[in-house]
Amino acid sequence: MRKKLLLGNWKMNLTIAEATKFAQASIPLVEKAKAANVLLGVAPTYLSLATVKQHNPGLIVSAQNIHFENNGAFTGEISVPMLKEIGIHWTLIGHSERRNYFGETNLICNKKMLKALTEGMTVVYCVGESSDDYDHGRTKAVIRDQLLVGLAGMTAEHLQHVVIAYEPVWSIGTGKNASKEHAQDIAIYIRERLEEMFNAESSQKTLILYGGSVKPNNIKDYLSQPDVDGALVGGASLNVTSFEELLTNMLR
Ligand code: PGA
């Protein structure tokens, strides 16, 4: 049985003071999630990682990005050893905003993931098609490339530390939801590709999330799909009341 995962992606939101309040207020949610076999986490900005970890040690605290080198002349970047030093062992990779605004390619995502996995981190690899790709029926071809290139050079052992987040770009922050059937169809498609690339057992063990305008009132629709194991949530994860509603409703 795969566990469920609810992960909030805070993007460039919440100051340290706001993140601290969230961390403190979310302590009871960790127990509730644990009792239901749900992994619960958030991905704050770099500045708030240590604070959130300190105030709510039971919450998974994930970075939103890493650099693939340990150190060097890479102005504005943060490396894996720096994150591990403050107890951060999870990171998102390849979020569509990183791909679209900061030019991250599948190849760059691959380098970052290999680095993170080699260093013992868990990675949430984001994949998903643009609205143009969706309109032209290219969703599966795009995702196939994202998986083939992004996960190249990895072993089945590595895959155990990879979560795949399927996020149609046209659905992120737009309130335009993908149907639950579409989410399930793509989740199965991803599982089939993982089976081809690795093996059936590893594919069945991998957590696959849906993301894109997930709210308390629709999270259950996605989570009721057999191959959708959780959600990556932006806007609705920013306040603790809504985060709690997401958790409560996904368990219903
Ligand atoms: P959203 O963002 O829930 O605000 O659509 C999801 C994401 O970007 O991970």
Side-chain angles (χ1 to χ4, degrees), residues 42-172:
V42 292
T45 69
Y46 289 128
L47 284 178
S48 297
L49 289 170
T51 316
V52 174
K53 186 104 205 133
Q54 181 196 342
H55 289 281
N56 189 349
L59 202 57
I60 291 169
V61 184
S62 171
Q64 298 174 11
N65 179 36
I66 55 157
H67 194 276
F68 48 78
E69 295 292 348
N70 284 346
N71 47 54
F74 301 104
T75 302
E77 293 292 305
I78 298 284
S79 74
V80 170
M82 293 170 186
L83 291 169
K84 284 172 66 179
E85 186 185 35
I86 58 164
I88 302 303
H89 298 277
W90 282 60
T91 186
L92 307 184
I93 296 287
H95 188 278
S96 69
E97 287 145 22
R98 298 294 319 165
R99 294 175 186 265
N100 293 335
Y101 305 147
F102 302 99
E104 284 190 18
T105 60
N106 291 331
L107 213 57
I108 293 175
C109 293
N110 178 250
K111 284 176 96 165
K112 292 186 174 196
M113 278 193 284
L114 285 172
K115 173 67 187 173
L117 292 165
T118 309
E119 296 273 350
M121 290 183 87
T122 297
V123 159
V124 180
Y125 181 43
C126 304
V127 298
E129 79 285 7
S130 68
S131 114
D132 194 48
D133 290 328
Y134 179 75
D135 292 343
H136 289 87
R138 292 191 296 257
T139 298
K140 289 182 176 171
V142 167
I143 286 169
R144 186 168 174 275
D145 272 3
Q146 290 171 332
L147 294 173
L148 279 177
V149 180
L151 303 179
M154 283 176 205
T155 62
E157 165 63 26
H158 285 138
L159 191 67
Q160 288 183 28
H161 305 280
V162 177
V163 173
I164 308 287
Y166 168 56
E167 301 200 301
V169 180
W170 48 270
S171 170
I172 295 177

Side-chain angles (χ1 to χ4, degrees), residues 7-11 92 95-97 126 165 167-169 171-177 210-215 231-238:
L7 189 60
N9 174 16
W10 288 356
K11 311 188 180 188
L92 307 184
H95 188 278
S96 69
E97 287 145 22
C126 304
E167 301 200 301
V169 180
S171 170
I172 295 177
T174 58
K176 266 205 238 165
N177 284 92
Y210 171 77
S213 298
V214 175
K215 307 289 174 203
L232 181 59
V233 184
S237 74
L238 291 176

